[in-house]
Structures are given as C-alpha cells and as structure tokens.
C-alpha cells in the first residue's frame, strides 16, 4: 500500500522565544522540519503533507520547491484536529504515517518497521519506556499486555501516572480507518483538545494496536526549548562522529567536530578539533585536517594536509597538497597534486598546476597557473578593474618575485622571472626577466629627520 506522511508542524513553540516557527530551527544547519521530510522521503512516501499554522508563510518558503503539500490549521485545537486537517488531501487508499516537525532525529528503519506492522483495521504505535514519563501520554495495557488506550498526563489517574511506557506520538494506520476514527474524537478532556491519542482505544476495539519501539530515545525526543535543541544537536553530531570512527577515521575529540552536511571520509583520515564541515565534502585516504579548519563543498585528495585555521569552499584539492595555516581557498579553486598554499594566501577561480607554490601572503584570483610555478610573498593578481574581471595566465616554471602585481589580462610565459616589486601590465615572454621597480639609489647627503624640541615655541 502506498504511504502518505502527515507531519504536524502548526504549533507556535512559545518556549523557543523566537520570531521563527519552532520547526524551522536548525539541527546541523538544516531546519528540523526538513530532517523529518528527508526521513519521509527515504520511505518513498507517495505524499508528504505538512500541517502548518503558526509561521505558515515561513514554512511555505522552505517547502516551495519540494514535493510537499501544506494543510493549514489556523487554530491549534489538538493533535487529532491537526491530522484531520490533512485528511482531505490524503489519498484514501493509502496508509498514513503521522510524524512531528519538532521530532527531528527519527530514523528510517524505525518508521519502516512501524509501517510494516499495521494490524488490519488497527494502528501501529511507536512507544518508549522512560525513567521519567512526566508530561507524556501513558500507554494503558490490559492484562493480556495489549495496548488498549493512551491517557494524557492531565487526564490520568494516580495509578496511570505510574506507567512508564509513553506515547511518542508517532503512529500509522490506514487512511480510511483514521478518517472514521478522527470523526468520532471529541474534546471532552482536561485540555479541551481533540486528541489524536483517542483513536488508539478505537483501534484497540477493532483490529488492535501494535506497539513498536525506537532503537534509542534520541529518535523520539521533541524540541520545545533552545536547551533541548542544543542537546539534540550534540546527539546528532555524536552519532556522525561515531560512524566516522567506525569507518577508520581518527577524530582527536569526537565531541569537537561539527558536520553540517554530508561528509564522506576514506580510511586513515585524521581530523583534529573544532573542524566544521558544510555541504558535500569528500576527504580521501590519509588526509590530515588540523584544528579550526572549515571545509565546505570540497574534495581533499589523498595524503593532503590542511593546516590550522584554513577555510576551503567550493574547491578541489589534489593529492599530497599542503594548505595553510590560515589559508583561504574560495570557490572555483583547483589544486593539482603537490601544490602548496601557505599562510594568508587567498585563491578564487584559480587552477594551480602540480607542484606549484604560493607560500605566503598572496591573492590569486581568476588565474590559470601551470606546473612548478613559484609565487612569492605579497603577489597579487589585479583581476578587477572596478567593473570587469580578467584572467591571469602563469605558465609552467615561472617565478613571480615578491610583492609583484600582475595586472590582468596578462600572461607570464614559461620559465619567465618577474623581479620582486614589479607591476606587470604587459605579457612577459617565456624565459625572460621583467623588472619595473625604480633602480636603487644611495643619497650621500641624506640625513634622518631629528626630533624637534616642542618647547622651542614657548621660550
Ligand atoms: C502529545 C501526545 C502525547 C505524547 C506527546 C509526545 C496528544 C493528545 N498527546 O502530547 O500522548 O506523549 O505528544 O511528545 O497527541 N500540534 C499541531 N496542532 C495542534 C496541536 C499540536 O500541529 O493543534 C503539533 C505541535 O506543534 C507539536 C505536536 O503536534 O509539534 C505535539 O503537540 P503537543 O501539544 O506538544 O502535544 P503534547 O501535549 O506534547
Ligand atoms: Ca509537546
């Protein structure tokens, strides 16, 4: 049977104290709601319907290019009412899985197991045992240990409050059964709300309730405050770190790595502390990433060493390269094998050939640099005239002396040498030397200025 996923996300999230709806707050820089949608997509859901209310415009903005429908719940009258708002959009033939926009770390495997075990005319329910069940709906079982109802905290008797098996809220059933049962739900309870949980007793009286459990509590933890958001962020990061170590990556401190995207690492990669990974990053065998490095949408080749405080974005780094400390590698940078980018060097839209070096203090933008080129300290490609950008081409084996400016468009020929302090405005032929600086002069009668006596005037 095809699957429709309904994601409840209409609540305000008062305790977040935010102008942004709660479900848009991020875990690993991705909105919580998006985590839930991604989980739903992994189930190959035919439909995903988000029930939105508070901040619906911001939710719409997030969803605008996704195959996700929105059902508006203008007033939050309870979880049963919320699911009911989605039902008109649901394909009547389908199974329905109810998820929550503020329960972001739910796993595909857990949901697959839940959906695979829906009793005929019954409900599959995700429950968990907690040492402190306060606040949750309690799972009431009969003397055959079958689930017969859910009692909310505020409606529970003293005896029922002692039950430590609780409702995670996540459940699945057929669209036709849920529609019928939701029609029967009323709001005669302590909170005056239409409870989704009231459908459990109805299912128990029909096909029965199957209780499933998540592999860890983290999967079903909800976020109501920024403290809980931070706790789930850590849990998420810890799991990513554990998986990397299992694959043969050394993390100097697994609690000081932040993965905000997808990181693929080969064996024997070493990652030091406070590294941040964003977007899609691939690190090949044996590469070493030192402390405080930020890697975004890049590939780091085999055996390359990224030294401390380096930022790399939108770049492809070859094998056995060395970068940093304090290098800034911007989008469109491609380094061939054994290239070297040292401290305070910035590159952008630049290809550096094999074995080429820019060891200190340089800006290389919009450039094609050949092999075994040496770029001295303080060299700048002047790629911009204030309106347009131009290319600099440096051919194999060229030597660019320190503090030179290469005013683009310009080509430095093979094995050419640019003397220190030269402003190159015209192409330099291969194997030639170019110097533009003033010839050094010695002024025999020059003296250092002497300090003037400030009291001179007052005398
Ligand atoms: C609900 C369950 C409870 C369970 C707990 C797990 C009910 C009646 N109770 O209680 O058994 O242990 O979750 O966390 O279902 N929402 C809407 N529209 C509404 C009401 C809620 O979209 O009208 C959304 C909220 O934004 C929230 C989620 O549904 O994300 C849960 O609602 P909440 O009011 O927090 O339910 P609980 O009282 O925690
Ligand atoms: Ca809640």
């Amino acid at each position: 049977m095809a699957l429709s996923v309904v994601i409840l996300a209409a609540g305000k999230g008062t305790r977040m104290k935010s102008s942004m709806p709660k479900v848009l707050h991020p875990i690993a820089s991705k909105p919580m709601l998006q985590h839930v949608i991604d989980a739903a997509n992994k189930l190959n859901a035919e439909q995903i319907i988000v029930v939105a209310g508070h901040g619906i415009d911001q939710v719409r903005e997030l969803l605008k290019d996704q195959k996700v429908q929105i059902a508006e719940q203008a007033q939050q009258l309870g979880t049963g009412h919320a699911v009911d708002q989605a039902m008109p959009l649901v394909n009547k033939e389908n199974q329905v899985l109810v998820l929550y926009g503020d329960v972001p770390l739910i796993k595909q495997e857990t949901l697959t197991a839940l959906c695979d075990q829906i009793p005929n005319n019954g409900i599959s329910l995700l429950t968990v045992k907690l040492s402190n069940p306060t606040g949750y709906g309690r799972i009431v079982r009969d003397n055959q240990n079958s689930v017969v109802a859910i009692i909310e905290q505020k409606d529970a008797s003293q005896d029922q409050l002692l039950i430590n098996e609780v409702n995670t809220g996540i459940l699945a059933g057929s669209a036709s059964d849920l529609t019928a049962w939701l029609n029967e739900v009323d709001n005669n309870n302590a909170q005056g709300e239409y409870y989704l949980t009231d459908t459990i007793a109805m299912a128990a009286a029909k096909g029965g309730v199957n209780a499933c459990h998540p592999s860890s509590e983290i999967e079903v933890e909800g976020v109501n405050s920024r403290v809980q958001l931070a706790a789930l962020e850590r849990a998420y990061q810890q799991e990513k770190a554990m998986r990397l170590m299992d694959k043969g990556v050394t993390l100097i401190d697994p609690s000081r790595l932040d993965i905000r995207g997808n990181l693929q690492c080969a064996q024997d990669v070493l990652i030091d502390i406070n590294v941040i990974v964003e977007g899609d990053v691939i690190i090949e065998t044996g590469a070493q990433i030192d402390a405080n490095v930020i890697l975004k949408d890049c590939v780091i080749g085999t055996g390359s060493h990224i030294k401390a405080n380096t930022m790399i974005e939108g770049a492809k780094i070859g094998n056995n390269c060395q970068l940093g400390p304090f290098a800034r590698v911007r989008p469109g940078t491609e380094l061939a094998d054994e290239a070297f980018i040292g401290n305070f060097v910035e590159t952008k839209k630049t290809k550096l050939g094999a074995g080429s070096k820019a060891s200190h203090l340089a800006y290389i933008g919009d450039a094609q640099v050949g092999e075994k080129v040496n770029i001295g300290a303080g060299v700048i490609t002047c790629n911009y005239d204030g309106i347009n950008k131009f290319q600099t081409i440096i051919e194999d084996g060229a030597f660019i002396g320190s503090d030179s400016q290469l005013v683009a468009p310009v080509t430095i020929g093979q094995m050419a040498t640019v003397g220190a302090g030269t402003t190159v405005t015209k192409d330099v032929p291969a194997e030639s030397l170019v110097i533009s600086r003033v010839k050094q002069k010695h002024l025999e009668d020059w003296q250092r200025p002497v300090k003037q006596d400030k009291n001179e005037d007052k005398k």
Side-chain angles (χ1 to χ4, degrees), residues 134-376:
T134 310
Y136 290 90
R138 307 300 205 280
I139 306 298
V140 182
R141 289 176 182 263
D142 64 13
N143 47 21
Q144 263 117 67
N145 208 33
S146 301
V147 175
V148 290
I150 296 176
I151 298 290
E152 292 303 300
Q153 165 94 19
K154 288 179 180 155
D155 302 295
S157 66
Q158 286 305 318
D159 281 356
Q160 288 168 331
L161 288 176
L162 296 176
I163 299 171
N164 69 348
E165 184 184 9
V166 305
N167 173 30
T168 64
I170 293 173
L171 56 77
S174 76
S176 53
D177 287 336
L178 280 173
T179 305
W181 295 329
L182 285 170
N183 281 338
E184 287 178 45
V185 169
D186 63 33
N187 63 353
N188 297 326
N189 52 53
Q191 302 185 80
E193 287 182 6
Y194 296 89
Y195 291 163
L196 174 63
T197 45
D198 282 357
T199 60
I200 293 300
M202 301 175 196
K206 280 285 197 57
V209 176
N210 162 64
C212 283
H213 315 289
S215 57
S216 80
E217 280 177 31
I218 294 296
E219 279 191 62
V220 295
E221 258 170 45
V223 170
N224 292 308
S225 67
R226 299 204 197 224
V227 171
Q228 288 168 337
L229 184 70
L232 282 199
E233 173 82 33
R234 277 306 101 210
Y236 174 92
Q237 294 297 347
Q238 192 189 341
E239 189 183 333
K240 291 254 158 183
M242 295 302 151
R243 260 193 247 163
L244 282 174
M245 292 188 289
D246 284 345
K247 284 188 179 158
V249 175
T250 295
L251 301 179
I252 298 298
D253 182 352
S255 67
R256 282 185 288 173
L257 167 65
D258 286 79
I259 300 173
R260 301 169 188 166
N262 303 306
L263 172 60
Q264 255 188 65
C265 269
Q267 281 186 15
D268 292 315
V269 164
L270 185 147
I271 303 181
D272 209 330
I273 61 166
N274 297 336
V275 168
I276 297 177
V277 173
E278 297 174 302
D280 294 313
V281 172
I282 297 173
I283 308 179
E284 307 281 13
T285 310
Q288 179 177 334
I289 315 295
D290 288 355
N292 308 320
V293 166
I294 301 180
L295 301 176
K296 182 172 185 182
D297 296 316
C298 60
V299 177
I300 310 293
T302 303
S304 286
H305 184 181
I306 314 301
K307 295 178 188 168
N309 300 296
T310 291
M311 294 173 72
I312 301 177
E313 178 180 357
K316 196 170 177 310
I317 311 299
N319 302 333
N320 301 313
C321 291
Q322 286 194 48
L323 284 81
F326 295 99
R328 171 139 192 247
V329 174
R330 292 171 49 202
T333 299
E334 282 182 35
L335 304 191
D337 297 349
E338 285 164 43
F340 187 108
I341 296 283
N343 41 250
F344 308 108
V345 172
E346 176 181 348
T347 63
K348 187 215 74 176
K349 281 194 189 155
T350 283
K351 283 190 180 161
L352 214 62
S356 287
K357 295 180 179 175
S359 300
H360 354 248
L361 299 158
Y363 171 63
I364 316 165
D366 300 301
Q368 302 264 4
V369 179
E371 296 182 0
K372 295 209 165 78
V373 166
N374 195 311
I375 296 175

Side-chain angles (χ1 to χ4, degrees), residues 106-122:
I106 187 69
K107 287 216 174 87
Q108 183 211 331
E109 302 81 65
T110 303
L111 297 176
T112 302
L114 186 85
C115 293
D116 283 350
Q117 297 171 48
I118 305 173
N120 210 1
N121 292 122

Side-chain angles (χ1 to χ4, degrees), residues 15 22 102 135 224:
R15 277 185 279 163
K22 177 167 72 175
D102 58 359
N224 292 308

Side-chain angles (χ1 to χ4, degrees), residues 66-101:
Q66 304 190 47
K67 205 183 140 258
V68 173
Q69 293 166 276
I70 296 182
E72 181 163 8
Q73 189 195 25
Q75 266 189 304
Q76 281 73 60
L77 304 179
T79 49
H81 179 259
V83 174
D84 213 23
Q85 304 314 297
M87 292 319 282
L89 297 175
V90 167
N91 183 341
K92 298 291 166 282
E93 314 295 299
N94 285 4
Q95 288 180 348
V96 175
L97 168 66
V98 178
L99 300 178
Y100 298 81

